[in-house]
Amino acid sequence: MYKSFASPVLTNLDLDILPGEIHALMGSNGAGKSTLCNLITGIHPPNAGNMEFDGQPHAPATLKAAETIGIQMVMQELNLFPTLSVAENLSFSSLGGRAGLINHSSVVERARHMLAQLEMDDMDPETPVSALGVGHQQLIEIARAISQDVKLLILDEPTASLTDPQIETLFKRLNAMREKGVSVIYISHRMDEIARIADRVSVLRDGELVATLAIADAAPDTIVNLMAGELPEQDEHSSHKTSAETSAEVLLRVEGLSVAGSIDNVSFDIRAGEVLGIGGLIGSGRTELLRAIFGADKASGGRLKFASDGLSSSRLMQSPREAIAAGIGLVVEDRKDQGLLLGDTISSNICLGQLQGLSNRAGVIAADKEAAMATDAAQELQIKYDDLQQPVTQLSGGNQQKVLIARWLLNDLPILLFDEPTRGVDARAKASIQALLRELAAKGKAVVVVSSETDELIKVSDRILVMSNGRHAGEFNAADVTEEQLLEASFKHYSKAQHA
Amino acid sequence: ACGSEQPASTETAAPDAEKPVRVALIMKSLANEFFINMADGARAHQAENGGYELVVNGIKNESDLAQQVSLVEQMMATRVNVIVIAPADSKGLLPVVKRAMDEGIVVVNIDNKFDNAILADMGIRVPFVGPDNREGAKLVGDALAAKLEAGDQVAIIGGIPGAFNAQQRQLGFEDAMQAANMEVVSTQAADWEQAKAASVAGAILVENPELAAILAANDSMALGAVAAVRQAGKTDDVLVVGFDNISAANDLVQSGEMLATADQFGDQLAVFGIEYALQILASGDIPEDRKTPIELITK
Amino acid sequence: MHKIKLPWNSLGLVAVLLALVLFFSVSSEYFFTGVTFRTLANQIPTLTVIAVGMTYVLLIAGIDLSVGSVMALCSAVMGVVIADMGMPLPVAIAAGLVSGLLAGLVNGAVSARWAIPSFVVTLGMLEIARGGAYLVTNSETRYLGSAVEVIGSPIAALGVSPALILAILVVIIAQFVLSKTVFGRYMIAIGTNEEAVRLTGINPVPWKILVFSLCGLLAGLGGVFQLGYLQTADPNAGIGLELSAIAAVVIGGTSLAGGRGSVVNTFIGVLIIAVIQTGLAQMGVSEPSKRIITGAVIIAAVLFDQFREPVGKWLGARLSRE
Amino acid sequence: MHKIKLPWNSLGLVAVLLALVLFFSVSSEYFFTGVTFRTLANQIPTLTVIAVGMTYVLLIAGIDLSVGSVMALCSAVMGVVIADMGMPLPVAIAAGLVSGLLAGLVNGAVSARWAIPSFVVTLGMLEIARGGAYLVTNSETRYLGSAVEVIGSPIAALGVSPALILAILVVIIAQFVLSKTVFGRYMIAIGTNEEAVRLTGINPVPWKILVFSLCGLLAGLGGVFQLGYLQTADPNAGIGLELSAIAAVVIGGTSLAGGRGSVVNTFIGVLIIAVIQTGLAQMGVSEPSKRIITGAVIIAAVLFDQFREPVGKWLGARLSRE
Ligand SMILES: Nc1ncnc2c1ncn2[C@@H]1O[C@H](COP(=O)(O)OP(=O)(O)OP(=O)(O)O)[C@@H](O)[C@H]1O
Ligand SMILES: Nc1ncnc2c1ncn2[C@@H]1O[C@H](COP(=O)(O)OP(=O)(O)OP(=O)(O)O)[C@@H](O)[C@H]1O
Ligand SMILES: [Mg+2]
Ligand SMILES: [Mg+2]
């Protein structure tokens, strides 16, 4: 099979998926995994080659055609309707009852059933999707796909913004489906997941199939080697870590921060030279916490105290602009909606915040300086691109994420907040972003990282704060915390809330 | 091939032997029955008498001065010999008319008279063929006054504020009402539009239960006023008059739902204008203004 | 169990409407009378049904600039069918509605099929339909008199005209379709994320064509009402009507970006516009002041409506306490 | 190294323009003459500068419906300053431009500050500015004659009027600002994803206000040109101008959804509109046909322009082969 956009993306790919197997697809960002899935589901036509499905030649003209023969896909990017309710999103293509009327009760009933499959019984099916965080939205998409009558299920990075308990539930479902003979193509950058769930692994590199291995033969190192050669040298970072007791300078003290409806009285310190991890379940308020600190949303109470004025005066950020002036940056979680300029070029996206500095007094941008800045930044983060004047939408998801990080690194701020910075990023890039976070801390910056991956949190952080139901549920020293402790803390405030 | 480089008068004023005279008729609108009649009259005249080519143009929106100015320019570009124009504005068209005359084009003014002061200021004479709208409106107003008693309440619905005809007709109505001692309780604009007039008239009728008559500055608005009167159930109490004698209004006058309107003989207006222009082209002297008749139309 | 959301969403608008009515009632002794409301009832059907069509079009993130011209075309066709061809009213109405439907169909088909912005297509249609109206009538207004009177005159038993009843029925049905049917959900979904709709395996093109066709049909219905109201077919009718219709829809809180809107609120928007016009005309204020006040009120209405949520909550809390 | 994209993007439009010129040249012996082009040169400055302002507004995903009224207000102010107050031209021009700027500032401030759709705010301003124009002139046209002649009459040495030169300068500068400056990038960014801009620490509000103010200022400049062209200040000027301006911009390929557009293409859009109007007037076609043809050409131009990329590539390949 062969597919090309501006330049060839997939070449000479031969791959077969067996019934009742979970087939993992791995490869670095931009290797062509999503593109392959788009071919299978008829979103894009292949330029050459042929497919067979269930013994029949397979050349779906549209996604609909693929769905009617039992292929379902959860795409990497969210495709929900924010103004419609959860229930309506779940049954979107089969809302109809008699005479085109929506059968409200059966749609809601079906939604409950679908949500229950992923153990989300407590979600109200009538909430509009716009009120949900990204993680829940992702779950909605998964629930929609797995509830169909499906023979081949394609999951393109389904767990990118899920936390461990949800991943557990998802795996339970997948195992049950496998038993019924459903095939699954499972794309993920998380090595440990692959090892647990997959039967076989195929590795893509630059659009070519490098190898297909049984899971038993696929040690992480082997896969990584197949994907892209060596991982960057893993420094023994824990030795660099400042221990929680060290008296590193407090750059920012958050006191009693509250946001109406999501955050309740959260206090903690952000210290120079330290990575503070923030864990918690989906919807526990981590995103809101960062946004409130950054001034993107209005906090309803609390104080921020800055080292720059001796932690004495206190204020809340009224706008992101003010936060940046105070030295805080935020790499947002939802890059598509809130981060990137999707219609614009890679270079514009990287340099958006630096234009004032790239221009003369009359506001004319020095094109060569801009190009140089974008090139440097792109190289530093190893973004894979053809041309910096390419629309950013043509980049793979992981590379888009890097573009966003590149934008913020250019600001050189002392305090950087990262909301799920490695979501959808391949193992190699993830390692390099993690290393980057450490490096930033080593340079004396204060780094705050929200992550749904517990192992990542433990690996990259010095200290870990756990959020539970909008409240502070404990702080741990990353050097000696266990995953169980973190998980326990993340549930801490839920039961109480329900009893209250 | 630019005309202005040579002394213009020698080039354009005298028609070529082989090329027939080209006449441009420029009107305020070609989407209005009055001007359609005018154009039809001109075309009929041309078909009968021949001897000249006719180009007819109108603007899209009766108050769009700029578009009419550019129409004049475009006609200059097509090297017409004669422009017969019903100006959208009595002042705003004059600069371009002067330029046309400087190029040797014969210009005749119909329907709506150019501003005398500015004509004098520019030192040009443009013969006018057309009715006196103010006088015509007074005629209609007088006919109405004859049916009312002194002191009766009346309302005036005007055209687009500032449009010359709108002002003239409003003045004519006011002259007549003043002369007959009527009380004008409301004067509002409805931009020549039927639906707007209906809504304005409706409101006036509510506010003035004693209203005896509505004077509308054109027939479209009169039709709207009639509808409002009918819906208020006051067909027998409130008289409506209009202006222009479009066929729909004529029907209403005949059926008695409108009292009167005025006919300006649009079809003849253009014909007179063209004849004037051809006459000037032949003889070179500029005739006096010619006032065309306005006829009161009643049942 | 079901949450009733509408009342609080409409509340800001209703407050604006009431404030206007109150203001005019104080300013003019005749405003708050049955006659005024009968006058209003005669005027609003046309704008109402056209604004309903426009609501649907804006919901799918389109726009229809041609409604005024299409309305004129439809009443022109009806006028000619009755006056020149001597056909009975039902035939004329059918001809008018079909013309509207066809114009809308062309708008929808061209814009959806070739992915041309509907702004451009309907701007073209604005010119084309107006030309058509001139063509069929030969630019002459037709007086139809009693042939069409039945549409606009009050039914004795009810005291309101068939036009008003139909218009309100259209509002109710359109709101029902929007909030209770699959078609309604598709409109919202297309307006928020057309690509996602396509990826769900639903082809948005026919639905978009349907929406534009409906908008054309409703413009035709508006033409029928206009004919009944004025008893004349005027090829120059409805110039600038598209702006009034869009204004009503937007005042009603429908987003120009698509995906969010309410037909009932559009209707309140229509009422607000009609009340301002009637009120100012009754007060007989001068044309400049009329323009300035109208403009200011349009802005103020929407500005005030921004605060409908806090106001709604506050009022909701008050009401439930009692 | 840098890709020059503009030529191929403009190519489809230029082809449409040339096709129109060719068509009219064949249809009318007078079309392809110096006089016609001089006539066009007199007409286009006003629409050009207003369409440039509109391009910026559409780029940030706004809309400005008030340009026609604001233009009328500005020329009304200038007319009164010259004719009634007897002030010299420069003072009048300053007064006119300031009026435009203020109207734009209000549009921008109200819509950006309170996050009200610019459609509504500028619709309000459409009424308010028109009322203002009636108010200052007392609804009477002012004839200004030679006092303003200099603006529109050709400079001897160049053969073109200051108005045209200025208008073309505005196009060039605006294109430069759009493609080379920080402000230009911010406009594109705001039009693409305003929230992302805000979260990057750039407050979009002042930039949006700036864009609307510029649009108002350019409407004022359009008023100056109009004054020079007509030598008359007419409070009824520019009715419906907003639709022509938006049409020119959209024909030029600027997206109504914001984030994408080109000032140069807008200018070609203006030329296309002017050529259609001039050509049809010279042919003296009947009003209905004029309307229908205009509408059809607007749609066809954009339809054809959809294929500009394939056509551009094909032509590009041809040219580079030679
Ligand atoms: N619409 C498009 N136009 C041009 N190039 C594209 C387009 N979509 C994808 N590409 C390119 O195809 C390549 C493969 O992209 P794809 O999305 O399949 O990668 P991926 O393996 O899924 O990466 P990731 O792990 O980051 O999701 C990338 O280089 C990308 O830039
Ligand atoms: N726009 C919104 N409107 C209403 N509620 C919201 C909105 N955004 C978030 N919430 C709610 O606020 C709470 C905190 O959400 P937040 O996104 O901060 O959580 P999170 O821990 O970052 O989870 P996620 O992994 O989903 O991003 C959740 O209960 C969520 O449903
Ligand atoms: Mg991918
Ligand atoms: Mg989050």
Side-chain angles (χ1 to χ4, degrees):
Chain A
M1 266 197 333
Y2 180 86
K3 171 73 193 172
S4 75
F5 290 110
S7 50
V9 172
L10 291 179
T11 33
N12 269 333
L13 198 91
D14 286 307
L15 180 68
D16 34 36
I17 312 291
L18 305 173
E21 78 161 342
I22 297 184
H23 194 118
L25 213 50
M26 299 203 70
S28 48
N29 291 135
K33 305 179 296 293
S34 300
T35 305
L36 174 62
C37 300
N38 289 347
L39 298 186
I40 298 174
T41 48
I43 293 172
H44 292 309
N47 299 71
N50 44 29
M51 292 181 277
E52 228 173 69
F53 181 73
D54 238 5
Q56 304 288 325
H58 177 60
T62 60
L63 182 61
K64 180 95 184 164
E67 283 180 359
T68 44
I69 56 171
I71 300 179
Q72 285 286 334
M73 170 156 78
V74 173
M75 297 209 288
Q76 189 171 6
E77 306 294 341
L78 293 169
N79 280 297
L80 295 169
F81 307 108
T83 46
L84 299 186
S85 70
V86 168
E88 287 163 351
N89 269 284
L90 282 172
S91 309
F92 188 75
S93 48
S94 51
L95 285 172
R98 256 177 307 118
L101 292 186
I102 294 171
N103 193 335
H104 186 77
S105 51
S106 85
V107 166
V108 170
E109 215 29 63
R110 202 169 347 147
R112 278 190 213 289
H113 183 69
M114 287 154 94
L115 290 172
Q117 288 191 320
L118 290 175
E119 292 171 15
M120 297 195 291
D121 310 71
D122 52 347
M123 180 182 280
D124 179 1
E126 297 191 56
T127 346
V129 159
S130 59
L132 301 178
V134 181
H136 278 130
Q137 295 191 7
Q138 177 113 49
L139 286 171
I140 305 287
E141 292 244 33
I142 296 173
R144 177 157 84 182
I146 62 175
S147 61
Q148 307 296 319
D149 187 15
V150 49
K151 290 182 188 152
L152 172 61
L153 177 66
I154 303 175
L155 299 172
D156 195 347
E157 302 194 26
T159 53
S161 33
L162 299 190
T163 46
D164 294 343
Q166 274 103 15
I167 296 176
E168 282 316 309
T169 323
L170 173 65
F171 282 4
K172 256 192 269 167
R173 286 293 315 157
L174 290 182
N175 281 324
M177 291 172 82
R178 165 164 51 191
E179 253 131 60
K180 286 194 213 133
V182 175
S183 313
V184 179
I185 296 181
Y186 188 93
I187 300 176
S188 175
H189 293 296
R190 297 190 188 179
M191 223 50 95
D192 56 326
E193 286 178 1
I194 304 289
R196 285 185 47 208
I197 191 82
D199 300 311
R200 290 197 298 163
V201 186
S202 288
V203 179
L204 288 183
R205 188 201 299 157
D206 293 334
E208 285 180 62
L209 182 66
V210 194
T212 301
L213 307 170
I215 194 66
D217 309 329
D221 289 351
T222 328
I223 295 177
V224 168
N225 279 335
L226 286 170
M227 273 164 60
E230 301 294 309
L231 266 185
E233 197 54 38
Q234 292 281 314
D235 45 11
E236 249 322 301
H237 51 257
S238 31
S239 64
H240 294 287
K241 289 185 180 181
T242 51
S243 75
E245 303 88 56
T246 54
S247 52
E249 187 201 359
V250 175
L251 278 188
L252 174 63
R253 175 162 290 160
V254 178
E255 281 186 3
L257 194 69
S258 300
V259 174
S262 52
I263 306 283
D264 184 17
N265 196 12
V266 175
S267 307
F268 59 96
D269 288 346
I270 297 174
R271 297 194 187 126
E274 180 197 67
V275 176
L276 171 65
I278 299 183
L281 301 178
I282 289 189
S284 57
R286 300 161 301 169
T287 297
E288 273 300 316
L289 181 65
L290 296 194
R291 285 177 61 90
I293 295 172
F294 183 61
D297 292 329
K298 285 249 158 19
S300 54
R303 284 188 289 259
L304 299 183
K305 292 182 171 172
F306 289 91
S308 46
D309 45 19
L311 298 178
S312 54
S313 67
S314 67
R315 58 199 164 121
L316 285 173
M317 298 295 110
Q318 298 304 316
S319 68
R321 189 183 162 79
E322 198 180 324
I324 291 168
I328 309 175
L330 169 67
V331 177
V332 294
E333 170 184 41
D334 187 346
R335 58 172 176 263
K336 204 172 164 189
D337 273 2
Q338 297 175 349
L340 295 172
L341 309 174
L342 286 179
D344 221 334
T345 62
I346 300 171
S347 143
S348 302
N349 268 288
I350 293 178
C351 299
L352 179 65
Q354 308 306 317
L355 294 175
Q356 307 273 16
L358 288 170
S359 59
N360 63 15
R361 293 227 324 275
V364 179
I365 299 168
D368 48 346
K369 276 201 234 163
E370 186 188 4
M373 176 184 272
T375 313
D376 287 353
Q379 257 159 22
E380 173 154 2
L381 289 181
Q382 294 161 348
I383 298 173
K384 183 172 180 285
Y385 62 89
D386 290 336
D387 181 342
L388 285 171
Q389 298 303 320
Q390 225 179 336
V392 75
T393 36
Q394 289 180 2
L395 289 185
S396 68
N399 279 308
Q400 292 183 9
Q401 181 71 27
K402 291 188 194 169
V403 166
L404 201 56
I405 296 180
R407 181 192 294 169
W408 280 104
L409 291 187
L410 290 171
N411 269 333
D412 198 26
L413 298 168
I415 304 169
L416 280 172
L417 317 176
F418 291 87
D419 199 350
E420 311 276 9
T422 61
R423 199 178 115 208
V425 172
D426 66 48
R428 210 169 115 90
K430 181 186 269 180
S432 73
I433 290 175
Q434 287 169 350
L436 185 84
L437 297 175
R438 294 295 325 158
E439 206 178 296
L440 289 169
K443 283 186 195 151
K445 294 190 186 296
V447 176
V448 178
V449 181
V450 164
S451 173
S452 296
E453 288 179 63
T454 316
D455 56 339
E456 176 175 80
L457 275 181
I458 294 178
K459 191 163 141 199
V460 82
S461 315
D462 297 303
R463 257 187 317 141
I464 299 174
L465 184 165
V466 177
M467 292 288 292
S468 175
N469 203 14
R471 290 158 70 184
H472 191 302
E475 262 178 51
F476 303 88
N477 195 329
D480 47 22
V481 74
T482 61
E483 299 202 9
E484 288 67 34
Q485 282 174 306
L486 293 179
L487 197 60
E488 195 188 316
S490 21
F491 283 107
K492 186 170 166 192
H493 292 295
Y494 283 94
S495 46
K496 276 186 211 157
Q498 272 151 15
H499 296 154
Chain B
C2 303
S4 67
E5 277 143 29
Q6 298 108 333
S9 49
T10 54
E11 197 204 24
T12 18
D16 286 342
E18 71 269 33
K19 278 206 171 173
V21 173
R22 285 167 53 78
V23 175
L25 179 58
I26 300 178
M27 291 180 299
K28 274 192 274 188
S29 164
L30 272 179
N32 172 316
E33 198 173 332
F34 177 69
F35 293 105
I36 298 270
N37 283 341
M38 209 184 262
D40 288 347
R43 288 205 188 91
H45 181 267
Q46 190 248 2
E48 256 172 55
N49 304 322
Y52 63 94
E53 273 177 22
L54 181 67
V55 190
V56 183
N57 269 302
I59 52 181
K60 196 164 134 182
N61 163 341
E62 282 188 42
S63 61
D64 195 345
L65 188 54
Q67 206 200 346
Q68 205 178 30
V69 170
S70 60
L71 271 183
V72 175
E73 288 184 332
Q74 279 142 22
M75 292 304 104
M76 287 159 68
T78 65
R79 300 214 231 135
V80 295
N81 308 94
V82 169
I83 292 176
V84 176
I85 183 166
D89 186 281
S90 56
K91 300 166 184 167
L93 261 301
L94 276 169
V96 74
V97 161
K98 179 162 188 307
R99 260 188 287 144
M101 293 174 76
D102 288 347
E103 287 193 10
I105 296 174
V106 170
V107 179
V108 175
N109 173 202
I110 59 172
D111 180 48
N112 172 10
K113 188 164 173 13
F114 282 132
D115 190 280
N116 280 327
I118 298 171
L119 282 173
D121 186 52
M122 287 181 161
I124 50 175
R125 271 193 62 206
V126 181
F128 173 69
V129 178
D132 184 331
N133 272 284
R134 183 167 180 173
E135 222 167 75
K138 180 154 189 316
L139 215 57
V140 174
D142 289 341
L144 175 67
K147 299 272 181 192
L148 301 177
E149 283 164 23
D152 274 352
Q153 293 187 348
V154 301
I156 297 175
I157 298 183
I160 291 186
F164 184 75
N165 277 351
Q167 289 172 337
Q168 290 297 305
R169 291 175 193 178
Q170 191 172 320
L171 287 173
F173 286 151
E174 283 166 2
D175 292 346
M177 293 302 102
Q178 212 168 4
N181 275 324
M182 302 296 163
E183 187 195 350
V184 180
V185 290
S186 186
T187 302
Q188 294 192 47
D191 303 352
W192 304 126
E193 284 175 32
Q194 191 180 358
K196 253 190 204 158
S199 127
V200 167
I204 293 176
L205 286 167
V206 175
E207 189 69 14
N208 305 284
E210 302 299 315
L211 198 76
I214 297 174
L215 301 96
N218 79 353
D219 278 344
S220 276
M221 296 192 294
L223 292 173
V226 168
V229 169
R230 188 188 312 119
Q231 257 131 25
K234 294 192 166 178
T235 309
D236 298 331
D237 310 327
V238 181
L239 299 172
V240 177
V241 296
F243 204 100
D244 280 346
N245 193 29
I246 66 172
S247 51
N250 192 285
D251 292 347
L252 281 177
V253 171
Q254 298 316 323
S255 76
E257 280 192 87
M258 263 174 73
L259 176 71
T261 181
D263 195 333
Q264 316 181 59
F265 303 103
D267 49 344
Q268 293 179 35
L269 223 58
V271 171
F272 290 151
I274 292 169
E275 281 176 350
Y276 250 42
L278 296 176
Q279 193 183 319
I280 299 171
L281 211 53
S283 68
D285 17 278
I286 299 177
E288 285 306 306
D289 288 358
R290 172 162 171 183
K291 201 190 273 180
T292 55
I294 292 188
E295 190 182 318
L296 181 71
I297 307 290
T298 51
K299 194 170 174 181
Chain C
M1 157 77 241
H2 284 266
K3 286 183 207 155
I4 302 156
K5 286 180 195 157
L6 216 76
W8 307 132
N9 270 333
S10 307
L11 211 82
L13 286 172
V14 172
V16 170
L17 182 61
L18 291 182
L20 283 170
V21 169
L22 194 71
F23 170 77
F24 286 119
S25 304
V26 170
S27 311
S28 152
E29 55 174 317
Y30 295 102
F31 187 82
F32 202 76
T33 59
V35 196
T36 302
F37 292 100
R38 226 174 314 124
T39 314
L40 277 173
N42 283 326
Q43 281 167 33
I44 55 171
T46 302
L47 186 58
T48 300
V49 294
I50 291 180
V52 168
M54 192 67 85
T55 309
Y56 275 15
V57 171
L58 292 188
L59 259 172
I60 63 161
I63 197 165
D64 188 348
L65 299 176
S66 69
V67 287
S69 295
V70 169
M71 184 202 82
L73 173 64
C74 298
S75 41
V77 167
M78 287 184 272
V80 168
V81 168
I82 295 173
D84 303 7
M85 300 163 68
M87 305 280 238
L89 184 61
V91 177
I93 291 181
L97 293 179
V98 168
S99 317
L101 187 68
L102 285 180
L105 189 68
V106 171
N107 281 337
V110 175
S111 64
R113 172 67 191 76
W114 282 292
I116 302 183
S118 53
F119 192 97
V120 179
V121 177
T122 58
L123 183 67
M125 182 57 79
L126 177 153
E127 298 284 340
I128 294 173
R130 184 66 64 186
Y134 292 148
L135 211 60
V136 295
T137 55
N138 196 21
S139 305
E140 276 169 29
T141 303
R142 296 285 187 293
Y143 177 68
L144 305 169
S146 52
V148 294
E149 206 173 352
V150 56
I151 304 167
S153 30
I155 301 172
L158 299 166
V160 286
S161 66
L164 185 66
I165 296 174
L166 270 173
I168 290 177
L169 259 176
V170 165
V171 170
I172 294 171
I173 294 173
Q175 178 67 52
F176 179 82
V177 168
L178 177 57
S179 48
K180 299 283 174 207
T181 69
V182 177
F183 176 39
R185 285 300 181 281
Y186 285 177
M187 284 193 280
I188 295 176
I190 291 172
T192 29
N193 192 344
E194 188 175 335
E195 181 60 15
V197 173
R198 226 170 47 78
L199 290 176
T200 325
I202 292 158
N203 183 359
V205 171
W207 297 104
K208 290 172 79 176
I209 295 178
L210 177 59
V211 167
F212 279 96
S213 306
L214 275 178
C215 187
L217 182 69
L218 287 171
L221 187 60
V224 175
F225 294 165
Q226 180 90 341
L227 207 68
Y229 174 43
L230 300 174
Q231 299 185 17
T232 31
D234 174 8
N236 279 310
I239 292 175
L241 190 64
E242 65 282 358
L243 288 189
S244 305
I246 300 174
V249 180
V250 178
I251 289 176
T254 294
S255 156
L256 280 167
R260 193 167 52 74
S262 142
V263 176
V264 170
N265 285 1
T266 291
F267 183 57
I268 304 177
V270 169
L271 292 178
I272 289 178
I273 290 181
V275 165
I276 299 174
Q277 279 178 358
T278 302
L280 290 178
Q282 287 195 9
M283 290 171 67
V285 297
S286 74
E287 181 70 14
S289 323
K290 221 184 245 178
R291 297 290 191 122
I292 294 173
I293 295 172
T294 306
V297 174
I298 289 175
I299 299 177
V302 176
L303 194 56
F304 182 79
D305 194 43
Q306 290 285 87
F307 302 106
R308 67 185 162 194
E309 272 188 30
V311 172
K313 268 190 199 139
W314 179 82
L315 259 171
R318 293 241 123 181
L319 293 177
S320 62
R321 208 177 305 151
E322 278 154 32
Chain D
M1 158 81 241
H2 284 266
K3 285 187 205 153
I4 303 155
K5 286 182 193 155
L6 214 77
W8 309 133
N9 270 334
S10 307
L11 212 84
L13 286 173
V14 172
V16 170
L17 182 60
L18 290 182
L20 284 170
V21 170
L22 194 71
F23 170 77
F24 285 120
S25 304
V26 170
S27 311
S28 154
E29 53 176 318
Y30 301 100
F31 186 82
F32 202 75
T33 60
V35 195
T36 301
F37 291 100
R38 226 172 317 123
T39 312
L40 278 172
N42 282 330
Q43 281 166 36
I44 56 173
T46 303
L47 185 58
T48 301
V49 293
I50 290 179
V52 167
M54 191 68 85
T55 309
Y56 275 15
V57 171
L58 292 188
L59 259 171
I60 62 163
I63 197 163
D64 188 348
L65 299 176
S66 69
V67 287
S69 296
V70 170
M71 185 200 81
L73 173 64
C74 297
S75 42
V77 167
M78 288 184 272
V80 168
V81 168
I82 294 173
D84 302 8
M85 301 165 66
M87 304 279 236
L89 184 61
V91 177
I93 292 182
L97 293 179
V98 168
S99 318
L101 186 68
L102 285 180
L105 189 68
V106 172
N107 281 337
V110 175
S111 65
R113 172 65 191 78
W114 283 292
I116 302 183
S118 53
F119 192 98
V120 180
V121 177
T122 59
L123 182 68
M125 182 57 79
L126 178 154
E127 299 285 339
I128 294 173
R130 182 68 61 189
Y134 288 146
L135 209 60
V136 294
T137 56
N138 196 20
S139 301
E140 275 167 30
T141 305
R142 294 289 186 291
Y143 174 70
L144 304 169
S146 53
V148 294
E149 208 174 349
V150 56
I151 304 167
S153 27
I155 300 173
L158 299 167
V160 286
S161 66
L164 184 67
I165 296 173
L166 270 174
I168 290 177
L169 259 176
V170 166
V171 170
I172 294 171
I173 295 173
Q175 178 66 53
F176 179 83
V177 167
L178 176 56
S179 49
K180 301 278 174 209
T181 69
V182 177
F183 177 37
R185 286 302 177 70
Y186 284 177
M187 284 193 280
I188 294 175
I190 291 170
T192 319
N193 191 341
E194 190 175 334
E195 181 63 7
V197 171
R198 198 175 72 89
L199 290 178
T200 311
I202 300 157
N203 184 359
V205 171
W207 298 103
K208 290 170 80 176
I209 295 179
L210 178 59
V211 167
F212 279 95
S213 305
L214 275 178
C215 188
L217 182 69
L218 286 171
L221 186 60
V224 174
F225 295 165
Q226 180 91 337
L227 206 68
Y229 178 45
L230 302 176
Q231 299 178 24
T232 318
D234 174 10
N236 281 312
I239 293 175
L241 190 64
E242 65 282 358
L243 287 188
S244 305
I246 300 174
V249 179
V250 178
I251 289 176
T254 294
S255 156
L256 282 166
R260 192 166 52 74
S262 141
V263 176
V264 170
N265 285 2
T266 291
F267 183 56
I268 305 178
V270 169
L271 292 178
I272 289 177
I273 291 181
V275 164
I276 299 174
Q277 279 181 357
T278 302
L280 291 178
Q282 289 197 1
M283 290 171 66
V285 298
S286 74
E287 181 70 14
S289 323
K290 222 184 247 179
R291 296 294 191 116
I292 293 172
I293 295 172
T294 306
V297 173
I298 289 175
I299 298 177
V302 176
L303 194 55
F304 181 80
D305 195 43
Q306 291 284 85
F307 302 106
R308 68 186 162 193
E309 271 189 31
V311 172
K313 268 192 199 137
W314 179 82
L315 260 172
R318 292 241 122 182
L319 293 177
S320 63
R321 210 178 303 153
E322 278 153 30

